[in-house]
Amino acid sequence: MTMTVGEAFDRVFGPDVPMRVEAYDGSVGGRPDGRAMRLTKRGLNYVITSPGTLGMARAYLMGDLEIEGMNEADPYDVLRTFEDDLTPRRPSLRDLPDLAAFLKEVGLRVPELPREETPGPLRRLAHGLRHGRRRDAEAISHHYDVSNTFYEKVLGPSMTYTCACYPSEAATLEEAQAHKYDLVARKLGLAPGMRLLDVGCGWGGMVRHAVTHYGVTALGVTLSRAQAQWATARIEQEGLAGRAEVRHADYRDVTERGFDAVSSIGLTEHIGVANYPAYFRFLRDRLRYGGRLLNHCITRPDNRHPGLPSRGFINRYVFPDGELTGSGDIVRAMEDQGFEVRHQENLREHYALTTAAWCANLSAHWDECVADAGLGIARVWGLYLAGSRLSFERNRIQLHQVLASRTGPDGRSGFPLRPTWEQVTVDAG
């Protein structure tokens, strides 16, 4: 070989990075006292053929990339080191011929893909239109139907897989999730006798909270069969049957109208930006005049780059067909469909705290999660949650709650002159 892997590493990243690559050819690169990163030939091929997070993830999941002392359940410190200290340099003109010869000798063929990667048929047009009902159902199943037992370990007793709202940094995850549900309920102005529709309801946390603490009747819908089964059993256990219901259904199958409030917590990411008009129009038509909508979803810090990279780690391993955009696009889509936007806020820092807490749960129950879902899935979740934490901390992604009303023809919105939702809260218990 004209150049060793260690030499190529030093030429691309520099010899002083705080990592030490130990390659299959016996060569070493990076700082001698740096954290060891062991790479096989197949692993190098993953990295070269898919530069960035996708190639690194493939090599790691296939066992072709090992990093000394890395916590598989929470690789946050490793990801931060990669991001801060492992930045490729612009090759010099002198280096280019040697690097080109090195790449030619290594080869540019994508090896076998990890079985945890989203299967190809999900991405074929013949398999269904993007965000069509069949394909949406399969994308949701890919992510949410891992195992209720797995989610119980990672999410904790609340079984809430959306951004919590921390009343203080000292609050526990369970306290923060209860505070989030209560904040949504208060923003919606829930009161006894009202009817709530919760679309994309997950394991029914918002439904059960609203019925228990606010005396409403609530309908939740989810495309995940496992979620619906879990939520229905919990509703029975808590004696809420008759007032709370969770259906295994597409939100577009809800025929009831005249709801006093609609909550959408973590669903918009799956809708597709092009479908926002139809989505918000549908939710508007479910509400009575003066009714409120609370839309809670992950957003981008700008409105110029909607979607997710189709070849990125998140789209391939975690959220097939997921799409994000800025809060401005969401507000515009809501207003264009007849909503009057009354309030919005960014809970970005809260999601960084939430994902850190989920990583802590995954770490505490690592062996059980691996036994339940397999090592590959558990590793995917460690990467996904730790990477998400870093992205929220560094403002690459955000979390917005947008509150709006279906204001009536007479101009009545149903809102008081000043907001009241920060005045009270309930305990996690």
Side-chain angles (χ1 to χ4, degrees):
M1 183 176 288
T2 56
M3 179 186 294
T4 68
V5 175
E7 289 171 338
F9 182 88
D10 287 345
R11 300 251 190 128
V12 173
F13 297 103
D16 296 323
V17 296
M19 300 291 292
R20 182 178 79 255
V21 64
E22 299 176 354
Y24 60 90
D25 62 356
S27 64
V28 177
R31 209 163 65 196
D33 62 345
R35 191 174 199 167
M37 179 170 61
R38 301 176 182 92
L39 190 66
T40 70
K41 185 173 184 179
R42 185 174 65 174
L44 179 62
N45 219 282
Y46 282 122
V47 173
I48 290 174
T49 54
S50 296
T53 58
L54 181 59
M56 297 288 281
R58 284 171 170 168
Y60 168 61
L61 293 173
M62 294 296 282
D64 293 306
L65 172 64
E66 297 180 1
I67 300 172
E68 181 181 37
M70 187 179 82
N71 180 352
E72 294 178 294
D74 188 4
Y76 172 79
D77 61 329
V78 172
L79 297 180
R80 191 171 58 180
T81 297
F82 277 16
E83 185 170 304
D84 293 344
D85 301 312
L86 212 62
T87 304
R89 305 184 306 182
R90 182 187 294 272
S92 67
L93 292 177
R94 180 180 62 84
D95 288 336
L96 284 176
D98 290 341
L99 289 171
F102 172 78
L103 291 176
K104 182 178 180 180
E105 190 164 342
V106 170
L108 294 173
R109 182 184 62 81
V110 179
E112 172 191 2
L113 297 182
R115 66 181 181 85
E116 292 80 15
E117 189 161 338
T118 303
L122 187 61
R123 307 195 170 276
R124 296 184 195 138
L125 184 62
H127 192 68
L129 293 173
R130 185 178 176 88
H131 297 299
R133 290 180 180 240
R134 179 185 174 190
R135 183 154 153 173
D136 274 356
E138 294 189 3
I140 291 296
S141 178
H142 173 83
H143 186 67
Y144 292 101
D145 289 349
V146 175
S147 154
N148 283 333
T149 301
F150 180 88
Y151 279 107
E152 286 170 349
K153 301 300 182 186
V154 175
L155 304 182
S158 72
M159 282 293 275
T160 300
Y161 183 36
T162 48
C163 176
C165 183
Y166 283 75
S168 71
E169 290 195 13
T172 67
L173 175 62
E174 293 305 304
E175 290 168 342
Q177 292 293 12
H179 185 76
K180 182 269 300 295
Y181 282 137
D182 209 61
L183 177 63
V184 172
R186 286 180 276 118
K187 284 183 174 181
L188 290 173
L190 297 185
M194 285 185 171
R195 297 169 62 225
L196 168 69
L197 171 63
D198 186 35
V199 292
C201 68
W203 290 270
M206 182 64 204
V207 167
R208 291 181 288 110
H209 185 95
V211 171
T212 300
H213 295 286
Y214 287 85
V216 304
T217 58
L219 168 63
V221 291
T222 173
L223 273 174
S224 167
R225 185 180 302 277
Q227 287 180 338
Q229 291 172 342
W230 191 98
T232 299
R234 182 55 63 92
I235 286 170
E236 292 286 344
Q237 292 171 13
E238 296 181 5
L240 303 178
R243 294 183 293 152
E245 178 189 357
V246 168
R247 292 178 190 167
H248 174 226
D250 191 298
Y251 77 92
R252 290 164 286 197
D253 291 330
V254 175
T255 58
E256 294 91 335
R257 295 174 181 260
F259 288 96
D260 299 285
V262 174
S263 52
S264 175
I265 306 175
L267 175 60
T268 315
E269 298 91 332
H270 301 285
I271 295 298
V273 177
N275 295 317
Y276 282 2
Y279 169 64
F280 287 118
R281 184 165 59 249
F282 182 90
L283 298 185
R284 178 204 67 199
D285 291 345
R286 307 276 82 70
L287 282 167
R288 62 166 175 80
Y289 285 125
R292 301 181 189 182
L293 166 67
L294 188 288
N295 195 80
H296 166 123
C297 72
I298 301 171
T299 53
R300 288 187 176 278
D302 62 66
N303 301 281
R304 298 188 298 272
H305 308 97
L308 284 172
S310 61
R311 287 182 53 79
F313 169 74
I314 295 292
N315 199 289
R316 288 296 184 101
Y317 285 88
V318 186
F319 281 113
D321 291 347
E323 293 185 33
L324 305 179
T325 189
S327 62
D329 281 342
I330 293 170
V331 168
R332 180 175 64 241
M334 293 172 74
E335 290 177 337
D336 287 350
Q337 298 308 314
F339 281 106
E340 181 185 7
V341 172
R342 304 291 304 212
H343 181 270
Q344 68 161 306
E345 64 174 315
N346 184 358
L347 299 177
R348 174 175 64 82
E349 295 87 350
H350 295 259
Y351 222 158
L353 293 172
T354 304
T355 48
W358 287 338
C359 272
N361 284 344
L362 182 59
S363 294
H365 301 284
W366 179 253
D367 291 342
E368 298 159 274
C369 289
V370 169
D372 182 78
L375 179 60
I377 293 295
R379 281 181 164 181
V380 164
W381 275 77
L383 286 176
Y384 156 57
L385 294 178
S388 295
R389 173 187 172 185
L390 194 61
S391 292
F392 282 114
E393 287 178 345
R394 299 192 170 182
N395 196 30
R396 288 194 291 269
I397 47 177
Q398 303 174 345
L399 187 288
H400 274 84
Q401 286 190 351
V402 180
L403 178 65
S405 67
R406 187 187 183 188
T407 299
D410 59 0
R412 295 183 182 182
S413 68
F415 279 84
L417 289 177
R418 297 300 303 153
T420 59
W421 48 77
E422 293 288 358
Q423 294 179 5
V424 294
T425 188
V426 298
D427 295 329

